[in-house]
Amino acid sequence: MLETQPTVVSLTDAAAGKLRELTAEETNPEIGLRVYVYSGGCSGFRYGMMLEDAPTAEDRILQANGVRVYVDGNSVDLLKGAEIDYVDTLMGAGFTVNNPNAVAACG
């Protein structure tokens, strides 16, 4: 079931625009951004993102800024309120997660 409210994550205009650019030639209407949290890193958790052809049975399917976002059941609570942005700087370009619920960050 597609949720229209981005209750778990939101995407900035820059992130949504970059995702639309990356998927512009895709013919699969179910392609979306998978966002997940996994163990590791100095703060205990790391974020992962990738394009996914279709959701799994365990996914929450979100619509954020016109883009499908798939979040697995284990990551939902850890991502609530998070914002995904796309930044392009001299140091490189990529997607970042701004999570107001993160209690620790790497120094």
Side-chain angles (χ1 to χ4, degrees):
M1 182 174 104
L2 180 67
E3 296 181 28
T4 56
Q5 296 299 317
T7 55
V8 177
V9 295
S10 61
L11 272 69
T12 64
D13 290 341
K18 187 63 176 180
L19 285 165
R20 281 192 282 274
E21 178 185 319
L22 291 171
T23 60
E25 295 182 20
E26 288 289 334
T27 56
N28 179 359
E30 293 210 19
I31 195 160
L33 178 68
R34 171 163 306 286
V35 182
Y36 56 97
V37 179
Y38 62 99
S39 295
C42 59
S43 63
F45 293 106
R46 299 183 72 179
Y47 300 105
M49 288 178 253
M50 63 185 186
L51 290 177
E52 189 79 68
D53 289 334
T56 67
E58 295 82 34
D59 286 338
R60 291 269 301 270
I61 305 168
L62 310 167
Q63 188 80 15
N65 205 345
V67 175
R68 281 178 164 257
V69 179
Y70 303 135
V71 180
D72 66 85
N74 295 328
S75 299
V76 168
D77 288 337
L78 296 169
L79 285 167
K80 280 190 178 168
E83 178 186 67
I84 297 170
D85 194 10
Y86 182 80
V87 293
D88 191 354
T89 67
L90 291 174
M91 299 300 290
F95 292 95
T96 63
V97 178
N98 301 312
N99 189 341
N101 301 311
V103 294
C106 301

